[in-house]
Amino acid sequence: MSIEILSIEGSQLVTIRQIKAARALLGWSQADLARGSGVSEPTIARLEAVEGEIGGREGTAGKIKAALEKAGVQFIDENGGGLGVRLIARQRKKS
């Protein structure tokens, strides 16, 4: 079984599985991710469907990752337990 990897210049590698898991945590569709990242929905669908290495234009992976991080997703590096994602606990404003 292959793991498709989005390489992001100067940053950790992010797998397609992490992108899908992040969308699931947020309850986002591919259309939601497209709106948040500025990447077209067909491109996101194509990236998520590919087996093997990811093609695409430079910067696409960075836009996708940035949109998910802005929404509260943290990408977890391989640390002996495997790659992953989690939601960052947001601090509530004090009234």
Side-chain angles (χ1 to χ4, degrees), residues 7-27:
S7 63
I8 301 170
E9 192 173 315
S11 185
Q12 75 186 64
L13 296 178
V14 177
T15 68
I16 289 298
R17 289 182 186 170
Q18 285 176 293
I19 298 297
K20 289 179 178 180
R23 283 197 308 105
L25 283 172
L26 294 170

Side-chain angles (χ1 to χ4, degrees), residues 10-57:
S11 185
Q12 75 186 64
L13 296 178
V14 177
T15 68
I16 289 298
R17 289 182 186 170
Q18 285 176 293
I19 298 297
K20 289 179 178 180
R23 283 197 308 105
L25 283 172
L26 294 170
W28 279 14
S29 65
Q30 289 178 342
D32 295 326
L33 180 54
R35 278 189 295 278
S37 66
V39 174
S40 74
E41 187 175 348
T43 297
I44 290 170
R46 190 170 48 254
L47 288 172
E48 289 190 355
V50 169
E51 290 291 330
E53 291 186 23
I54 298 295
R57 295 185 178 176

Side-chain angles (χ1 to χ4, degrees), residues 57-68:
R57 295 185 178 176
E58 189 175 330
T60 299
K63 290 178 183 178
I64 291 170
K65 183 179 179 209
L68 293 167

